[in-house]
Amino acid sequence: MSELHLGIVMDPIDSITPAKDSSLAMLLEAQQRGWKISYFELDDLRISNGEARGSARSLSVKDDNNQWFKMGPAHDIALSELDVLLMRKDPPFDMEYIYATYILERAEAEGVLIVNKPQSLRDMNEKAFTAWFPQCCPDTLITRSMNDMRKFLQEHGRAVVKPLHGMGGQSIFVIREGDLNANVIFETLTDYGSRYAICQGYIPEITDGDKRIILVGGVPVAKVVARVPSVDDNRGNLVAGAKPDIRPLTDRDHWICQQVGPVLRERGIIFAGIDVIGDYLTEVNVTSPTGIRELKKYGDIDVAATLIAHLEDLLKQRGAN
């Protein structure tokens, strides 16, 4: 196969934490395989007379916590010059993100393999999409009604409530029936009934960790990162202070992946990270899932190599058709 050209859309690369950054791991693997890399931020993308274009900068990377990248000058290209484009922009999932997916969809129509499929990025809200797998999930309510949220808490006694657009453990609350802060939490999350929020039944096994299961092409990798909360926090998020613990998948984990994986493949989701607490699916992350670095460092599982090899296979299949 001739030299492949990879584009990546991400947050400013100079602001990442290289030792923990999954996007950097992907770039390192692609570079090691001889891929050419072009770098974009969101404001580098545009549509001109129906054509997806961008202000690209050539990028080389190193696994170095002090100096992890080098970039060339910006130059204008048609995105159709790329073989693959990784959309790795972190949430918030706002209208600007949606507008960017329209640009990526034009590039997709011109033959570029977009990871992940732009339409599915729009369609699959990471918390709301759990509703497609009710058999895998704890009791879940998505609503704007503060009264409905109060009833849910009363019914379950303890609940987790969070916004639909957050990431990294932002604005996640665990509340008990009788908590005098419950009303103000409901008011804040729904902006007094004008925004949707999600309630889930509390899963006590959170103390044993929130498991991140990475799926490539709908297939789970061999181990999971269980993010174990600190003693003074309920959140199983590494950025919130949780500690990683590498484990094999349980039988229930495999069963959940069998439910979710085929749907991801059907919808063009090549790289995803699902969250499982105890026996229950809680999120389906498709925008910029993380966990690659921890799996490599603590579990000797090279997800970046699996992903880039999978992309090469997909491109070969396209060339054969």
Side-chain angles (χ1 to χ4, degrees):
M1 186 179 291
S2 60
E3 181 187 51
L4 295 173
H5 192 176
L6 172 73
I8 187 166
V9 180
M10 59 185 291
D11 292 304
I13 194 170
D14 59 359
S15 67
I16 68 172
T17 303
K20 297 182 178 181
D21 195 84
S22 293
S23 298
L24 179 60
M26 297 174 188
L27 294 172
L28 287 164
E29 178 63 23
Q31 179 177 268
Q32 190 274 331
R33 289 172 177 259
W35 291 36
K36 176 183 177 181
I37 301 172
S38 289
Y39 168 89
F40 305 88
E41 294 176 21
L42 219 58
D43 56 4
D44 292 320
L45 305 178
R46 68 185 186 280
I47 294 176
S48 178
N49 297 321
E51 182 184 46
R53 302 192 65 87
S55 182
R57 283 163 281 183
S58 62
L59 178 69
S60 61
V61 288
K62 290 194 298 184
D63 199 3
D64 183 328
N65 290 337
N66 296 311
Q67 190 175 14
W68 57 92
F69 73 97
K70 183 177 180 181
M71 262 193 292
H75 59 285
D76 180 69
I77 67 168
L79 296 188
S80 58
E81 295 181 24
L82 305 170
D83 295 293
V84 179
L85 181 58
L86 300 176
M87 177 52 157
R88 293 287 299 173
K89 172 72 176 66
D90 284 340
F93 187 87
D94 54 14
M95 285 305 300
E96 292 305 305
Y97 188 101
I98 290 174
Y99 296 147
T101 67
Y102 295 138
I103 300 174
L104 300 184
E105 196 163 14
R106 291 304 304 147
E108 182 182 45
E110 293 159 6
V112 184
L113 177 60
I114 310 294
V115 183
N116 287 309
K117 186 175 179 65
Q119 180 180 343
S120 293
L121 289 177
R122 293 194 297 271
D123 290 349
M124 297 171 64
N125 176 274
E126 303 186 333
K127 296 173 178 65
F129 198 69
T130 57
W132 273 248
F133 310 99
Q135 72 276 23
C136 302
C137 300
D139 287 350
T140 302
L141 172 70
I142 297 173
T143 185
R144 291 164 55 137
S145 168
M146 292 179 284
N147 190 47
D148 285 351
M149 296 175 88
R150 282 189 285 269
K151 289 179 180 177
F152 186 91
L153 178 59
Q154 184 178 23
E155 178 183 349
H156 290 83
R158 196 172 184 186
V160 177
V161 294
K162 50 191 174 181
L164 290 175
H165 62 275
M167 63 167 287
Q170 295 172 347
S171 301
I172 295 177
F173 298 90
V174 177
I175 51 178
R176 295 178 182 269
E177 185 182 8
D179 189 331
L180 297 182
N181 288 310
N183 284 331
V184 72
I185 290 170
F186 298 153
E187 291 166 359
T188 300
L189 289 178
T190 67
D191 193 14
Y192 293 89
S194 65
R195 282 198 307 243
Y196 283 100
I198 185 170
C199 302
Q200 290 175 325
Y202 177 77
I203 307 167
E205 290 83 358
I206 182 60
T207 57
D208 190 44
D210 183 346
K211 294 177 285 187
R212 165 58 55 85
I213 304 174
I214 299 292
L215 297 97
V216 177
V219 178
V221 301
K223 295 180 182 178
V224 307
V225 183
R227 298 157 298 176
V228 182
S230 61
V231 294
D232 59 353
D233 205 316
N234 287 301
R235 295 173 296 175
N237 301 88
L238 298 178
V239 296
K243 300 300 182 184
D245 183 30
I246 308 302
R247 303 172 188 171
L249 279 74
T250 66
D251 289 345
R252 174 73 176 188
D253 294 337
H254 280 292
W255 179 81
I256 291 173
C257 291
Q258 289 166 6
Q259 308 301 302
V260 177
V263 177
L264 296 178
R265 283 195 298 273
E266 179 184 337
R267 290 176 173 254
I269 298 297
I270 295 171
F271 185 75
I274 65 172
D275 293 343
V276 175
I277 301 174
D279 288 337
Y280 297 102
L281 174 71
T282 60
E283 291 191 14
V284 180
N285 296 278
V286 300
T287 51
S288 57
T290 60
I292 284 183
R293 297 292 243 178
E294 290 76 18
L295 280 167
K296 179 71 178 293
K297 181 177 180 179
Y298 302 111
D300 198 28
I301 301 292
D302 196 339
V303 179
T306 299
L307 172 64
I308 300 301
H310 182 69
L311 296 179
E312 289 180 344
D313 288 343
L314 291 176
L315 292 173
K316 287 176 183 177
Q317 291 170 21
R318 284 185 167 197
N321 293 333

